Amino acid sequence: MNTSIVIADDHPLMLRGLTDFLTSKGYNIIGSAEDGKAAYNLIVKLKPEIAILDIRMPYKTGLEIAEDCKKNDLNTKVILITFDKEEEVYDQALEFGVFGYILKEFAIEEIENCISQVINGKPYFSKEIASYLKASTLDKKPETLESLTKSELKIVKLISENNTSQDIADELSISVRTVDKHRSNIVHKLALDNKPTSLSIWATINKDFLI
């Protein structure tokens, strides 16, 4: 609960609502901002564990902040809050290593779950987005799945169920190092970006094909 958080949104009501809600739940809100430039300056100065950012803000968008954090090797994990359901925006978020992506209409009910997942290094995105992305790829089983071995498929299935490398190692009675080696091979075979969240998100989106 002592997770340090910076929140930024150019809508004062949304900003206050989210700040008050998380503070009441015991989270450590160390800064807030109403525009992207101020938000990024806070992240650089305060180095919060998590930054909860509106995508569309003056001076710098949430996506631009995420891009700058990645470019400058800042350890802050970015959670974006947005009305956008466009796949293009979502793809950009993945490219910039965003850990969480929540639709504004579900922000209050999903934010705690999102934070707890992100703190544990697991990506989180609104169910609405997951179903939206699935709808756009419905019945299209990724051809790259055919290249995976039975062991690799088992590991991807466990990843899709939000298991960590340690969980998977315990489940399969293998070492964490072996799991990580498998993960690296899977990322290569699926031609994914080598980012912490890419495989987890791919596995979640394609969960229905992992039988």
Side-chain angles (χ1 to χ4, degrees), residues 26-193:
Y27 290 96
N28 181 22
I29 311 302
I30 59 173
S32 63
E34 291 189 17
D35 68 71
K37 191 177 176 185
Y40 182 67
N41 288 341
L42 278 178
I43 292 169
V44 172
K45 183 182 173 187
L46 303 175
K47 299 179 173 57
E49 290 169 76
I50 287 179
I52 301 170
L53 310 171
D54 184 14
I55 277 196
R56 305 200 181 282
M57 291 185 287
Y59 307 121
K60 256 184 196 293
T61 67
L63 277 172
E64 286 169 341
I65 294 170
E67 184 180 17
D68 285 346
C69 286
K70 184 187 170 196
K71 208 181 287 177
N72 296 306
D73 292 324
L74 299 178
N75 292 324
T76 299
K77 292 181 170 71
V78 172
I79 295 171
L80 293 178
I81 299 185
T82 180
F83 285 118
D84 287 301
K85 295 184 187 178
E86 287 86 358
E87 218 170 317
E88 186 186 336
V89 177
Y90 186 72
D91 286 343
Q92 272 189 300
L94 294 187
E95 191 185 326
F96 301 149
V98 167
F99 265 82
Y101 196 102
I102 298 182
L103 293 178
K104 272 200 174 177
E105 56 262 47
F106 305 113
I108 295 294
E109 60 193 79
E110 292 192 345
I111 193 66
E112 282 188 277
N113 192 14
C114 178
I115 291 170
S116 66
Q117 294 259 59
V118 168
I119 278 299
N120 289 313
K122 299 175 185 174
Y124 180 95
F125 46 98
S126 285
K127 291 180 180 68
E128 285 284 315
I129 295 169
S131 58
Y132 170 79
L133 289 174
K134 274 184 184 170
S136 67
T137 55
L138 209 57
D139 299 326
K140 292 181 192 169
K141 183 176 179 178
E143 289 177 22
T144 46
L145 261 180
E146 306 293 332
S147 66
L148 301 184
T149 65
K150 281 186 179 177
S151 299
E152 288 167 347
L153 281 169
K154 197 177 285 185
I155 286 172
V156 176
K157 188 173 191 306
L158 289 167
I159 291 170
S160 76
E161 293 161 358
N162 281 327
N163 289 290
T164 63
S165 289
Q166 185 64 63
D167 296 335
I168 295 168
D170 295 342
E171 172 80 20
L172 301 178
S173 302
I174 56 178
S175 70
V176 172
R177 185 180 287 183
T178 302
V179 174
D180 288 339
K181 194 175 178 185
H182 276 305
R183 290 180 82 122
S184 178
N185 289 339
I186 293 164
V187 165
H188 178 70
K189 286 184 179 181
L190 297 177
L192 300 175
D193 290 324

